[in-house]
């Protein structure tokens, strides 16, 4: 009995033994104890807070995923062969430049056997044109990479007809200012054709898509 009375007097006078609804109240942290419990800050944030600076925002490093889309060797081979059509048909515009600088003809020696074979076939230009357009461009079984490159070669080959049409319409002759303009135009067309061929050849060998100026947009609309 004495121990019970001593325990009663040891309890705080303001702590109720039960809640009004008869249930035992749950223990809660006192405000003084709650203020002393703190979550440790990360080191960069704690250092910035101690120095009086604005803590840095958390940085997230995005995951980098690299995918390599390798072009098959057959697609690269067909695409490279397609650009020989405008090259063979555009060599005729280089007769003035090659006659003035014969050393440039040495760069064309590796393709002379192919050029001789191409010119030995009757109507080779028309046969190669329709074979490339109907057999490659309009072939849904081939990839878009091959069809786009073939279409660029076809469009470039069609554009090579325009200088000949202009020459026949205006007939500049063999002397005078008209003749000089014709020579300059032929040289410019020849340089442009060779540039497109080398540019496309390198890109096709690497498996990348070449976009020729004045040609790529027209070729893309036809697919």
């Amino acid at each position: 009995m004495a121990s019970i009375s001593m325990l009663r007097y040891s309890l705080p006078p303001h702590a109720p033994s039960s809640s009004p609804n008869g249930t035992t109240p749950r223990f809660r942290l006192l405000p003084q104890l709650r203020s002393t419990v703190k979550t440790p800050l990360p080191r960069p944030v704690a250092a910035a807070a101690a120095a009086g600076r604005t803590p840095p925002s958390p940085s997230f490093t995005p995951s980098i995923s690299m995918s390599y889309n390798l072009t098959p060797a057959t697609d690269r081979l067909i695409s490279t062969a397609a650009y020989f059509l405008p090259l063979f048909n555009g060599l005729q515009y280089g007769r003035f430049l090659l006659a003035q600088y014969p050393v440039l003809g040495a760069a064309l020696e590796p393709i002379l056997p192919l050029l001789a074979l191409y010119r030995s076939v009757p109507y080779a230009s028309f046969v190669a044109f329709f074979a490339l357009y109907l057999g490659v461009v309009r072939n849904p079984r081939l990839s878009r990479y091959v069809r786009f490159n073939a279409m660029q070669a076809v469009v470039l080959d069609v554009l090579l007809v325009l200088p000949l049409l202009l020459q026949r319409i205006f007939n500049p002759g063999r002397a005078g200012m008209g003749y000089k303009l014709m020579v300059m135009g032929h040289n410019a067309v020849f340089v442009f054709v060779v540039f497109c061929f080398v540019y496309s050849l390198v890109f096709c060998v690497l498996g990348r898509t070449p976009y020729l100026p004045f040609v790529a947009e027209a070729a893309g609309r036809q697919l």
Side-chain angles (χ1 to χ4, degrees), residues 17-214:
S17 59
S18 61
S19 59
N21 55 4
T23 59
T24 304
R26 297 180 179 178
F27 293 98
R28 297 182 180 179
L29 292 176
L30 296 178
Q32 296 81 0
L33 183 58
R34 188 184 307 168
S35 61
T36 58
V37 179
K38 296 181 180 179
T39 304
L41 298 175
R43 292 184 178 179
V45 179
R53 301 191 306 268
T54 303
S57 58
S59 58
F60 299 95
T61 304
S63 59
I64 301 176
S65 60
M66 301 179 63
S67 60
Y68 297 92
N69 186 13
L70 298 178
T71 305
T74 54
D75 292 357
R76 286 181 284 176
L77 180 61
I78 297 174
S79 301
T80 302
Y83 289 103
F84 278 93
L85 174 63
L87 176 66
F88 288 161
N89 293 334
L91 289 179
Q92 58 181 331
Y93 294 103
R95 63 180 184 272
F96 300 108
L97 191 62
L98 295 177
Q100 186 177 359
Y101 302 100
V103 68
L104 297 178
L108 301 177
E109 290 183 358
I111 64 172
L112 289 181
L114 294 177
L115 181 61
L117 178 63
Y118 175 77
R119 292 183 175 178
S120 64
V121 179
Y123 304 102
S125 179
F126 293 98
V127 173
F129 178 86
F130 286 105
L132 192 61
Y133 183 76
L134 298 177
V136 179
V137 176
R138 295 304 178 187
N139 191 349
R141 292 178 296 179
L142 297 177
S143 64
R144 192 183 187 279
Y145 177 83
V146 176
R147 294 166 57 214
F148 177 77
N149 284 285
M151 192 65 214
Q152 278 199 136
V154 168
V155 173
L156 183 59
D157 188 65
V158 172
L159 293 179
L160 293 178
V161 182
L162 297 180
L164 292 178
L165 294 178
L166 294 177
Q167 180 180 349
R168 293 182 179 180
I169 292 174
F170 294 101
N171 192 13
R174 296 186 177 275
M177 183 59 66
Y179 178 77
K180 293 182 179 179
L181 291 177
M182 182 192 68
V183 172
M184 294 175 59
H186 280 215
N187 293 340
V189 172
F190 176 72
V191 172
F192 177 73
V193 170
V194 173
F195 166 76
C196 291
F197 174 76
V198 175
Y199 171 77
S200 303
L201 180 67
V202 173
F203 269 61
C204 289
V205 169
L206 296 177
R208 301 173 59 184
T209 304
Y211 294 95
L212 301 179
F214 313 109

